[in-house]
Amino acid sequence: MDTFINLNIVPEKDIVAAFDHMTAVKSKIPSPAYAVVRTLGCQMNEHDSEKLAGMLENMGYTIVDDYKKNKVDLVIFNTCCIRENAEGKVLGRLGELKMIKRSNPGMILAVCGCMTEQPHIVDIIK
């Protein structure tokens, strides 16, 4: 039985461009630099978060588990709009980070994933 497998192959030029960008960013990141990647969503988000963490490590970040215990430079929430409680969790975590960001204004907060494709969520986050 023949099975069709869709590999979603990324064109080589896009891979080269991504690595060039990571190299350019690496020279601008302070050392040491710490990042947290949190997944609040589905299995696909878990996979994407692993990719994000690998890219961040390539750029010079050390991935840590807890933004409350460590002074971090970057926090990424990778979100899902399918999971019911993910929206509430993201907004709650951003609320927690508001106080931490006040004492560490250089920290970058990022939200990615399909939840950010919903305009009402983007408005709430802003």
Side-chain angles (χ1 to χ4, degrees):
M1 180 168 116
D2 291 334
T3 304
F4 176 78
I5 299 174
N6 181 1
L7 297 177
N8 292 324
I9 298 174
V10 177
E12 186 175 349
K13 68 177 180 59
D14 292 346
I15 294 170
V16 170
F19 276 98
D20 288 347
H21 179 72
M22 286 187 287
T23 302
V25 169
K26 188 175 188 172
S27 67
K28 297 176 183 172
I29 294 175
S31 182
Y34 300 98
V36 173
V37 179
R38 280 278 185 271
T39 306
L40 300 163
C42 63
Q43 202 60 28
M44 182 63 90
N45 290 107
E46 292 287 343
H47 181 67
D48 291 343
S49 291
E50 289 175 11
K51 289 183 197 176
L52 285 167
M55 293 171 73
L56 292 171
E57 286 175 332
N58 266 339
M59 289 186 278
Y61 284 96
T62 298
I63 305 300
V64 295
D65 289 333
D66 194 345
Y67 54 80
K68 293 177 188 175
K69 293 180 182 175
N70 300 285
K71 183 177 179 189
V72 297
D73 303 285
L74 172 64
V75 178
I76 297 177
F77 291 110
N78 189 12
T79 65
C80 177
C81 63
I82 304 299
R83 301 286 181 176
E84 241 177 83
N85 61 356
E87 179 179 319
K89 284 183 179 181
V90 169
L91 297 176
R93 299 300 189 302
L94 288 173
E96 287 177 353
L97 281 163
K98 191 182 232 183
M99 297 304 292
I100 295 170
K101 179 137 173 81
R102 285 188 182 138
S103 65
N104 182 9
M107 179 176 58
I108 298 169
L109 302 176
V111 181
C112 63
C114 60
M115 187 181 291
T116 60
E117 295 174 10
Q118 299 181 25
H120 73 282
I121 295 295
V122 173
D123 290 340
I124 291 170
I125 291 171
K126 286 180 184 177

